Amino acid sequence: MTATSAPSSNAWVWTLVKGILALALGLFLIIGAQTAPIWIAYALAIYMAVSGGLQTFSSLMKRRSAGSKTDRIRGLVGLIGGAALLLLGYFNVLSLAAAYTLLALLLIAYGALGLFEVLFDRGSDRFRWMPLIINLLLIVLGVMVFYSRSRDFDLRLWSGLVLAVIGLAIIGYGYFIQKANPKADTTDV
């Protein structure tokens, strides 16, 4: 594959997959009133691992495009961090408080790397609002996880709402923008 190859015309499908995953996990957290606190961490770690994996794979296909190094770093942070949290939680290595702390740091780092890419590492590409909004919401989600540890705060409900909003935004971006314009970028949402 050469660096000048055009983006795949079905790249919007992978964006829809990422959006549907976020929406499904968000609805799981909203609807599951008796959801155990560990499932909040699992749902967010699953989103981070899958989203990071898709972003890493996508960035490997576009090695010479603007921001591809940041894409790979961001994707690996999400993939390795989400998978590590899932494994550590599955084998009961971490306490719930430690898992929430690591999850909050992971969400903030993942969102901050996305913000860096959108604002500073886009090369000659035009500015796009949707990745900015998604990355800000990821940072807000990380801050909410920190905030929930010190206050009486319904993290299940609010993280579910934020994940559902992220999912709906990504689905809308993929279907209405990327499907209509196959050259729209898929990596930073």
Side-chain angles (χ1 to χ4, degrees):
M1 174 180 246
T2 63
T4 59
S5 64
S8 174
S9 62
N10 65 354
W12 64 275
V13 173
W14 293 110
T15 302
L16 282 181
V17 168
K18 201 185 313 185
I20 290 170
L21 175 70
L23 180 62
L25 290 172
L27 290 176
F28 167 74
L29 292 176
I30 292 169
I31 294 171
Q34 299 302 320
T35 304
I38 191 66
W39 284 103
I40 299 168
Y42 278 143
L44 295 174
I46 288 169
Y47 175 73
M48 293 302 302
V50 172
S51 180
L54 288 172
Q55 184 163 14
T56 301
F57 179 74
S58 176
S59 71
L60 288 174
M61 294 298 160
K62 299 186 296 181
R63 290 184 184 204
R64 290 186 178 88
S65 65
S68 66
K69 287 182 184 178
T70 308
D71 273 345
R72 278 193 296 279
I73 293 169
R74 181 176 185 240
L76 288 172
V77 164
L79 175 64
I80 293 170
L85 273 175
L86 287 170
L87 290 173
L88 291 172
Y90 179 75
F91 292 114
N92 289 326
V93 175
L94 290 177
S95 68
L96 186 59
Y100 275 172
T101 301
L102 288 175
L103 181 63
L105 291 173
L106 178 65
L107 287 165
I108 291 170
Y110 192 73
L113 283 168
L115 280 179
F116 175 79
E117 181 181 0
V118 168
L119 296 174
F120 304 113
D121 197 19
R122 66 181 188 267
S124 62
D125 293 343
R126 66 179 179 79
F127 180 77
R128 291 176 308 276
W129 283 99
M130 187 56 64
L132 178 75
I133 293 168
I134 298 299
N135 290 313
L136 284 173
L137 285 172
L138 286 170
I139 292 172
V140 166
L141 190 57
V143 169
M144 284 186 343
V145 172
F146 270 132
Y147 182 76
S148 72
R149 295 184 58 223
S150 64
R151 304 264 192 256
D152 186 23
F153 181 73
D154 190 2
L155 180 63
R156 178 197 53 82
L157 175 66
W158 287 103
S159 62
L161 286 172
V162 171
L163 261 181
V165 167
I166 288 172
L168 288 173
I170 292 174
I171 289 170
Y173 180 77
Y175 189 76
F176 294 113
I177 295 175
Q178 284 183 325
K179 186 176 179 186
N181 180 13
K183 294 186 183 207
D185 196 12
T186 61
T187 56
D188 40 333
V189 289

